[in-house]
Amino acid sequence: MATTSATRTGTDQSRLVRTLGIIVIIGGLILAIGGATTWGLVQSQLSAEKVTVAEDASFLAGDEVNGPFSAYAQAEIINEHALKASGGKTYAELAQDDPTRATVMNASFLRASLFTSVVSFGVAAMAMGLGVLFLLVGYALMKVAPATARY
């Protein structure tokens, strides 16, 4: 039986869809693995610092700082302590010769570092979620293409 142009075009399209499915699956694996690796790296680095959330924090008091919520809780209580030490003034509001300015500055740096880890956890979670989504889309593309298009 001779193959027609329409049959050949359909087979070519099926191969294209399957190829795209494979590419999307590979991209999904890269995103999922990269996100999980980033999450683990940030978590291990935070844990290595051996910081615990202050006992007077509004939530997660006494918890080890090793995740996004504990990092956020510690950043918030650091801010409360800094504001208390400075009489409610931020670093920018303090006079340059104010002796508490260095304490408030250090608190600001610590908070920025903790917020950076919170953002890192968020980006890692997003990468993992997109990776799973891409895996599902790639799998669906592979299923949509007729089985005759297999290589």
Side-chain angles (χ1 to χ4, degrees):
M1 179 173 179
T3 58
T4 65
S5 176
T7 305
R8 220 178 3 249
T9 302
T11 302
D12 291 344
Q13 288 175 346
S14 294
R15 284 191 175 153
L16 176 63
V17 171
R18 290 187 63 78
T19 301
L20 288 174
I22 291 168
I23 291 169
V24 170
I25 287 172
I26 291 169
L29 284 170
I30 291 169
L31 280 169
I33 292 168
T37 302
T38 300
W39 185 286
L41 179 66
V42 173
Q43 188 172 44
S44 70
Q45 293 298 308
L46 277 176
S47 291
E49 294 297 321
K50 305 216 182 300
V51 175
T52 56
V53 179
E55 292 298 328
D56 57 340
S58 60
F59 65 103
L60 297 177
D63 191 32
E64 179 185 357
V65 177
N66 62 1
F69 299 111
S70 57
Y72 180 79
Q74 183 63 15
E76 287 300 302
I77 196 62
I78 287 172
N79 187 49
E80 285 182 34
H81 291 168
L83 289 173
K84 188 175 182 180
S86 68
K89 293 183 179 181
T90 65
Y91 175 77
E93 296 171 323
L94 292 170
Q96 287 187 350
D97 60 348
D98 190 317
T100 61
R101 195 162 199 243
T103 300
V104 175
M105 179 180 62
N106 286 336
S108 180
F109 292 158
L110 287 170
R111 290 184 72 229
S113 294
L114 288 166
F115 283 135
T116 299
S117 67
V118 171
V119 171
S120 297
F121 280 117
V123 171
M126 181 183 67
M128 288 186 287
L130 285 173
V132 170
L133 182 65
F134 279 24
L135 287 168
L136 294 173
V137 169
Y139 177 77
L141 286 172
M142 299 283 288
K143 287 297 184 182
V144 167
T148 57
R150 295 186 186 226
Y151 298 100

